[in-house]
């Protein structure tokens, strides 16, 4: 197809270094889909607060992503931006803040992520009431769900529409919920909504078992991978590092080594956008070839590493894949 002006700009100007890696990774992603492959995207960092939904929602709409792994923060913060966008506070001079300035933000019920402050009352509390409703409803019926399935119930029910403050087409969770897109959210417990659930359990209001666990997420991912890794296979597009990337990528060696299923294909494409320093021993900063030694990638798997800011790079890669 004829590429749009953003893609033409990228191809004309992005010729070397990380810019060239961006082009190569985007073309590799595009080719993987053209050959019938599926793609998993993992979201670390604060991508939802960075409003990645503006481009990621369109990727979901156009079936350019088939599975998402994200932190609990990214799962909830896309919805928080959806229902409380006008209450967010941006602080361009965030580097100049004193400890006293930070405390003033806390006292004003703002939680800061770099230059963006999430409004606690409007964002967290609007969502809390409706999540608690679906948790209680499930428990009353003896039902259990994964964290993202509860959020899908809330979003698809329409109860949040009264609060919408952005165009819902820019919310990746709204699009994912429509398609019932598979998600794993490892370590959900450390998110705000995870903390709210834990507090309800501690107070005796809910049972811990009502929300399914991380182990059940791994089983869920195992079943999906087995069903979708035939043919061209499943690619892995990792935005930032941490548990959202580490958790899903290890499903392959788990099946091969621990389950001894010797017919499990490796991930068939890999790209990471990272600003982590490789030499510090971090897995987030490891070059893709290191993953060969862990049984995650093969010697001939297309591998790309874009060492840059994901908030700049990811929308450009998505724009290229979308032909914009």
């Amino acid at each position: 197809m004829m590429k749009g002006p953003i893609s033409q700009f990228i191809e004309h100007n992005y010729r070397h270094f990380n810019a060239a890696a961006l082009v190569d990774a985007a073309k590799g992603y595009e080719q993987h889909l053209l050959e019938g492959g599926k793609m998993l995207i993992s979201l670390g960092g604060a991508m939802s607060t960075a409003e990645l939904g503006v481009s990621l929602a369109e990727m979901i709409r156009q079936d350019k992503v088939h599975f998402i792994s994200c932190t609990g923060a990214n799962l909830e913060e896309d919805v928080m931006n959806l229902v409380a966008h006008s209450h967010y506070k941006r602080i361009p001079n965030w580097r100049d803040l004193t400890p006293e300035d930070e405390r003033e933000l806390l006292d004003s019920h703002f939680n800061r992520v770099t230059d963006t402050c999430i409004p606690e009352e409007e964002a967290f509390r609007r969502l809390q009431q409706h999540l608690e409703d679906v948790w209680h409803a499930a428990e009353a019926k003896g039902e259990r769900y994964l964290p993202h399935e509860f959020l899908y119930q809330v979003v698809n029910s329409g109860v949040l529409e009264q609060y919408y403050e952005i165009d819902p087409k820019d919310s990746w969770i709204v699009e994912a919920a429509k398609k019932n897109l598979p998600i794993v959210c490892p370590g959900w417990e450390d998110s705000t909504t995870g903390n709210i659930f834990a507090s309800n359990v501690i107070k005796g209001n809910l049972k811990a078992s009502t929300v399914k666990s991380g182990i059940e997420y791994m089983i869920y991912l195992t079943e999906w991978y087995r069903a979708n890794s035939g043919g061209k296979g499943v690619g892995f597009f990792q935005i930032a590092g941490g548990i959202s990337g580490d958790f899903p990528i290890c499903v392959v060696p788990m099946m091969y080594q621990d389950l001894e299923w010797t017919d499990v294909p490796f991930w068939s494409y890999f790209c990471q956008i990272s600003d982590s320093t490789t030499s510090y021993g971090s897995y987030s900063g490891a070059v893709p070839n290191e993953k060969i030694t862990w049984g995650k990638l093969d010697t001939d798997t297309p591998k790309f590493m874009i060492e840059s800011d994901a908030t700049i790079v990811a929308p450009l890669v998505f724009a290229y894949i979308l032909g914009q």
Side-chain angles (χ1 to χ4, degrees):
M1 68 175 176
M2 179 68 179
K3 293 281 188 184
I6 299 171
S7 300
Q8 290 177 36
F9 176 89
I10 289 169
E11 287 201 304
H12 182 71
N13 291 280
Y14 285 23
R15 303 186 181 201
H16 302 283
F17 318 140
N18 278 302
L22 184 157
V23 176
D24 292 342
K27 288 182 174 179
Y29 191 133
E30 187 174 58
Q31 189 61 32
H32 180 77
L33 296 184
L34 286 171
E35 293 175 10
K38 301 286 177 66
M39 189 65 74
L40 179 149
I41 291 180
S42 72
L43 301 178
M47 290 298 105
S48 288
T49 292
E51 296 188 69
L52 189 66
V54 172
S55 54
L56 182 56
E58 188 63 26
M59 290 283 284
I60 295 169
R61 266 192 296 278
Q62 294 196 27
D63 297 314
K64 306 294 189 187
V65 52
H66 308 91
F67 200 110
I68 286 179
S69 172
C70 67
T71 58
N74 277 302
L75 188 71
E76 67 194 11
E77 286 174 13
D78 181 82
V79 182
M80 290 173 184
N81 178 61
L82 174 67
V83 302
H85 180 79
S86 69
H87 299 277
Y88 278 62
K89 183 183 180 75
R90 186 163 177 265
I91 303 180
N93 64 327
W94 56 271
R95 289 181 177 86
D96 301 330
L97 296 177
T98 65
E100 290 73 27
D101 293 332
E102 304 279 23
R103 179 57 197 247
E104 187 177 326
L105 287 171
L106 171 66
D107 292 342
S108 301
H109 304 287
F110 280 109
N111 301 139
R112 186 171 70 82
V113 182
T114 313
D115 71 343
T116 303
C117 298
I118 301 171
E120 179 186 330
E121 291 302 317
E122 291 81 6
F124 298 135
R125 304 309 162 205
R126 282 180 181 178
L127 185 55
Q128 177 176 352
Q129 171 197 334
H130 300 294
L131 267 177
E132 287 178 341
D133 287 346
V134 293
W135 291 335
H136 283 289
E139 190 163 301
K141 292 184 281 189
E143 296 173 353
R144 306 174 62 243
Y145 297 99
L146 292 162
H148 79 276
E149 292 175 322
F150 278 118
L151 193 59
Y152 280 1
Q153 289 173 26
V154 172
V155 170
N156 285 332
S157 74
V159 295
L160 296 179
E161 290 177 12
Q162 60 186 310
Y163 309 123
Y164 283 6
E165 295 195 348
I166 64 167
D167 190 328
K169 75 176 177 56
D170 291 335
S171 164
W172 73 264
I173 285 288
V174 168
E175 292 303 323
K178 284 180 188 173
K179 288 180 177 281
N180 196 27
L181 190 77
I183 289 180
V184 291
C185 184
W188 173 76
E189 299 81 4
D190 82 348
S191 66
T192 299
T193 47
N195 289 174
I196 291 167
F197 179 75
S199 72
N200 272 279
V201 173
I202 292 165
K203 289 187 284 191
N205 297 335
L206 290 163
K207 297 176 186 170
S209 58
T210 296
V211 176
K212 291 184 177 180
S213 71
I215 295 298
E216 287 166 291
Y217 259 139
M218 185 59 78
I219 294 165
Y220 173 78
L221 174 57
T222 302
E223 292 168 349
W224 184 89
Y225 194 92
R226 288 287 276 178
N228 288 276
S229 57
K232 181 62 179 175
V234 183
F236 199 106
F237 190 86
Q238 181 173 345
I239 300 175
I243 193 171
S244 57
D246 300 349
F247 181 96
I249 203 168
C250 71
V251 74
V252 170
M254 186 272 288
M255 287 188 280
Y256 190 88
Q257 296 168 12
D258 304 316
L259 285 164
E260 299 181 348
W261 294 346
T262 54
D263 60 340
V264 179
F266 291 106
W267 296 96
S268 53
Y269 163 100
F270 178 80
C271 174
Q272 181 176 4
I273 305 169
S274 176
D275 59 3
S276 181
T277 305
T278 304
S279 64
Y280 291 173
S282 71
Y283 183 69
S284 297
V287 295
N289 280 351
E290 186 177 295
K291 293 170 175 58
I292 296 171
T293 72
W294 291 87
K296 296 165 183 174
L297 306 179
D298 209 346
T299 52
D300 59 353
T301 304
K303 307 173 191 72
F304 308 94
M305 176 75 98
I306 310 167
E307 294 184 312
S308 190
D309 182 336
T311 63
I312 299 169
V313 169
L316 290 172
V317 173
F318 294 166
Y320 188 92
I321 294 160
L322 294 165
Q324 295 171 344

